[in-house]
Amino acid sequence: MHKMKFAVLALFLTSQAFMTKSVKFWHVTDFHHDPSYYEEGYSCYNRTTYRPSYGNYKCDSPWILINSSVYAMKSIEPNPDFIIWTGDDTPHVKNQSVLGTEMVLEIIRNQTKLLMDVFPATPIYAALGNHDYHPKHQMPPNTNTIYKQVAEQWQPWLNGSSEANRTFRHGAFYSLPLPGTNLRAIVLNTVFYYKNDKLTGQLDDPAGQFDWFDKQMTNASSAGEKVYIIAHVPPGQFEKHRNWSWFYPKFNIRFNNLIRKHAQSIGGMFFGHHHTDSYRLIYGSNGENLTVSIH
């Protein structure tokens, strides 16, 4: 699919036994802004020349659609406790030469500024998607220009945490507490596990993220925290194509084993990528429901 999924419509009200208070938050994902929408329309793949102001289903998003949707969020719920943003900000294009690193960074920068301007006092927990790199999908398991520059853009959200800055610049993952709650956000770079990332498939633990994640979950459990896991590419199979999964098989097994190991400390998991609204139940070895993920 090449259409933007507006999870901007997903406003969550959470009040569970493990929390000290109810929280409200937005989950936005897969904006897929096409700056060329009104001219070349690279994301339209020559499927249509009809481009109304607020977008065409056969194309990625014009800026006016993204902008109006974020302002609609402000109108519907102006004071969320936080926002989850699960990536994929740039358009789907066949010819990668029309993008480039600087264009990717500019698109991320524009969406970052929009969210900061409209929700200036709201913590935002943001992840990168497979289209948030150039060339697309090929996320390296080490520091690079995009990780470093996005870290600079997201400084207000990284909240002055030297550790979050260090791990983001290393592999675009980080962990931060959610103020005023006993919740913790662990933001992962699951593009490392995506079968289209040809830089990581031969590795055991790209960027050491699995080991880091295991330790973060252990520490959260010891501190009595519940964790929201935030990432772009989800594990498991795609419900529209039952024989298709996103992760390399070995990474899918290891990821789900960690989820089962730490299920008692997980409050929820939030992903993008699918361009559908769906959820997954994660089961234990005896068939018991352990946790849920929302896409």
Side-chain angles (χ1 to χ4, degrees):
M1 290 181 62
H2 304 291
K3 296 82 183 173
M4 184 192 69
K5 170 199 170 184
F6 260 129
V8 72
L9 299 178
L11 174 65
F12 294 90
L13 173 64
T14 303
S15 180
Q16 301 182 35
F18 59 79
M19 296 181 61
T20 57
K21 68 170 188 175
S22 296
V23 296
K24 294 175 292 185
F25 64 95
W26 287 106
H27 176 192
V28 294
T29 195
D30 291 79
F31 284 133
H32 287 299
H33 176 216
D34 183 359
S36 74
Y37 172 80
Y38 295 110
E39 291 81 30
E40 296 88 350
Y42 290 122
S43 67
C44 302
Y45 287 71
N46 297 319
R47 290 173 300 196
T48 180
T49 57
Y50 176 56
R51 298 184 194 132
S53 295
Y54 282 85
N56 184 308
Y57 185 76
K58 295 181 179 180
C59 308
D60 280 327
S61 308
W63 180 253
I64 191 172
L65 177 61
I66 298 170
N67 186 76
S68 65
S69 297
V70 173
Y71 275 95
M73 291 164 56
K74 184 71 170 181
S75 175
I76 295 167
E77 176 45 69
N79 297 301
D81 292 281
F82 55 91
I83 294 172
I84 291 171
W85 179 20
T86 49
D88 260 16
D89 310 321
T90 72
H92 303 82
V93 294
K94 290 181 180 178
N95 181 4
Q96 286 290 293
S97 67
V98 304
L99 288 176
T101 295
E102 289 307 315
M103 177 65 76
V104 169
L105 287 167
E106 180 181 352
I107 290 172
I108 296 172
R109 185 180 302 112
N110 289 340
Q111 294 174 33
T112 297
K113 184 177 186 301
L114 174 63
L115 287 166
M116 286 183 176
D117 287 349
V118 178
F119 294 96
T122 302
I124 297 181
Y125 303 94
L128 293 180
N130 52 294
H131 283 274
D132 300 327
Y133 199 82
H134 183 79
K136 65 181 180 181
H137 314 317
Q138 308 311 310
M139 287 273 192
N142 47 52
T143 190
N144 57 75
T145 297
I146 286 182
Y147 295 172
K148 290 189 289 186
Q149 292 202 23
V150 173
E152 288 301 317
Q153 294 179 28
W154 292 354
Q155 280 302 299
W157 301 337
L158 294 177
N159 203 28
S161 167
S162 59
E163 179 62 12
N165 268 279
R166 183 190 69 80
T167 56
F168 192 96
R169 291 167 190 269
H170 171 64
F173 53 88
Y174 61 98
S175 172
L176 289 171
L178 278 65
T181 74
N182 64 333
L183 289 170
R184 173 168 293 275
I186 294 183
V187 179
L188 299 174
N189 183 356
T190 53
V191 182
F192 289 153
Y193 313 139
Y194 188 31
K195 288 189 289 190
N196 284 345
D197 190 341
K198 305 307 179 185
L199 303 179
T200 58
Q202 301 303 312
L203 304 177
D204 292 328
D205 186 5
Q209 183 175 235
F210 276 130
D211 183 59
W212 174 87
F213 178 41
D214 191 13
K215 291 176 181 175
Q216 288 292 313
M217 291 301 304
T218 298
N219 292 341
S221 177
S222 297
E225 296 175 324
K226 286 289 183 176
V227 173
Y228 279 1
I229 296 169
I230 298 163
H232 181 70
V233 183
Q237 292 177 297
F238 186 23
E239 66 273 8
K240 293 184 69 176
H241 303 281
R242 296 300 179 90
N243 61 345
W244 178 258
S245 59
W246 303 117
F247 282 13
Y248 287 101
K250 65 178 182 180
F251 293 149
N252 194 70
I253 291 169
R254 188 166 179 183
F255 186 90
N256 282 305
N257 283 343
L258 284 172
I259 297 305
R260 292 185 179 98
K261 176 181 176 181
H262 297 290
Q264 296 305 310
S265 296
I266 296 173
M269 300 190 291
F270 302 89
F271 300 94
H273 193 64
H274 277 191
H275 297 208
T276 62
D277 294 316
S278 60
Y279 67 92
R280 306 288 178 81
L281 300 177
I282 310 298
Y283 293 100
S285 58
N286 296 319
E288 71 277 22
N289 177 29
L290 296 179
T291 189
V292 64
S293 66
I294 296 172
H295 315 139

